[in-house]
Amino acid sequence: MRTPYVAGNWKMNLDRRAARDLAVAVREHAVSGVDVGLFPAMVHLDEVTRATAGSHVKVGGQNCSDEQEGAFTGEVSARMLKDIGATVALIGHSERRHVYGESDEFIARKVRKALEDGLEVMLCVGETIEERRDGRTEAVCKAQLISGLEGIDAAALARVSVAYEPVWAIGTGETASPEQAGAVHSYLRGVLSGAFGEDHAAAMRILYGGSVKPTNAAELMAVPDIDGALVGGASLRPELFLPIIDAAS
Ligand code: 13P
């Protein structure tokens, strides 16, 4: 069975002290049988990896370069992430796709680079409200998933998890219902099964993200194909995030 996975995407929030305090609160809240991840801002990664060293908490970058090193101003490489103790890269978040115009192809290169350099990857996919209204949810999510995992072999796939984050549910307070989310999750698992085989698809975790709160986390994660949550706003407050971890256990 898949171990539930709850991760906090802190986005461009907090200062160094607040990041450390939040990391410590999460570290001290060990719940057996749940994987927990944190994605702080790049400048807080060092603080957070130190605060969680030796604990069950995984720490990752919210982004990672598709390049190895060199003249790429403003970028952070997978090796740099690894070097400071991060083990995961969050790739293809909708804010990267829609605010910064990252293409499927660019995202696929980042996924390959992160895996090649030994990181785990959390690959985000999700449709906009217009795409949903046009009946294109499945097609959009499938295209993002297949393209994001292009060229990945089955062994590396064991280090990948997927986050389904409908864009219309991110930061809006509007959550996909368990039925809406569950339908996309089982569809995506079918896509993975077609691409990589049933066993690999069955082993992969697909998290839901988009306005997850303590009040809706349990019913979402009770859906068989929803293996955890990628949490934005609520992950910034221990009194909201810790109960979401509990709901996954
Ligand atoms: P919210 O939980 O704030 O909707 O954000 C979800 C998200 O984008 C996590 O990556």
Side-chain angles (χ1 to χ4, degrees), residues 9 11 93 95 165 169-172 209-213 230-234:
N9 174 9
K11 308 191 181 185
H93 192 276
E95 286 144 23
E165 298 205 305
I170 295 178
T172 58
S211 298
V212 176
K213 303 278 181 294
L230 179 58
V231 186

Side-chain angles (χ1 to χ4, degrees), residues 172-219:
T172 58
E174 191 181 343
T175 320
S177 67
E179 294 72 29
Q180 284 174 317
V184 179
H185 280 237
S186 63
Y187 172 75
L188 291 176
R189 201 173 302 283
V191 170
L192 291 169
S193 179
F196 298 101
E198 212 172 307
D199 290 352
H200 290 295
M204 272 183 84
R205 290 180 293 192
I206 308 178
L207 284 64
Y208 168 79
S211 298
V212 176
K213 303 278 181 294
T215 45
N216 58 27
E219 57 171 2

Side-chain angles (χ1 to χ4, degrees), residues 39 61-65 89-94 96-97 102 106-115 120-125:
F39 296 97
Q62 294 172 14
N63 192 7
C64 130
S65 176
L90 185 67
I91 300 180
H93 192 276
S94 72
R96 301 297 325 165
R97 293 177 187 270
E102 293 191 4
F106 186 41
I107 288 163
R109 287 208 304 274
K110 295 178 181 215
V111 170
R112 288 196 291 271
K113 190 77 191 114
L115 290 172
E120 296 174 17
V121 165
M122 189 178 292
L123 172 65
C124 305
V125 302

Side-chain angles (χ1 to χ4, degrees), residues 42-178:
M42 293 290 184
V43 289
H44 299 147
L45 274 172
D46 193 38
E47 193 74 41
V48 171
T49 53
R50 284 170 200 270
T52 56
S55 79
H56 66 294
V57 178
K58 296 169 188 274
V59 178
Q62 294 172 14
N63 192 7
C64 130
S65 176
D66 60 324
E67 296 284 352
Q68 177 88 1
E69 65 181 349
F72 302 104
T73 301
E75 292 292 286
V76 171
S77 72
R79 281 195 183 178
M80 290 169 173
L81 291 175
K82 256 196 111 175
D83 183 49
I84 58 154
T87 57
V88 198
L90 185 67
I91 300 180
H93 192 276
S94 72
E95 286 144 23
R96 301 297 325 165
R97 293 177 187 270
H98 297 295
V99 184
Y100 297 101
E102 293 191 4
S103 68
D104 284 348
E105 201 264 324
F106 186 41
I107 288 163
R109 287 208 304 274
K110 295 178 181 215
V111 170
R112 288 196 291 271
K113 190 77 191 114
L115 290 172
E116 185 186 302
D117 284 343
L119 292 174
E120 296 174 17
V121 165
M122 189 178 292
L123 172 65
C124 305
V125 302
E127 82 288 1
T128 64
I129 192 63
E130 293 78 19
E131 289 162 343
R132 174 163 282 263
R133 287 197 189 118
D134 291 349
R136 294 198 291 129
T137 297
E138 291 187 348
V140 167
C141 293
K142 177 181 182 178
Q144 291 176 349
L145 185 63
I146 291 293
S147 145
L149 297 178
E150 201 187 319
I152 301 307
D153 62 30
L157 203 65
R159 286 186 281 125
V160 178
S161 54
V162 173
Y164 167 58
E165 298 205 305
V167 180
W168 48 273
I170 295 178
T172 58
E174 191 181 343
T175 320
S177 67

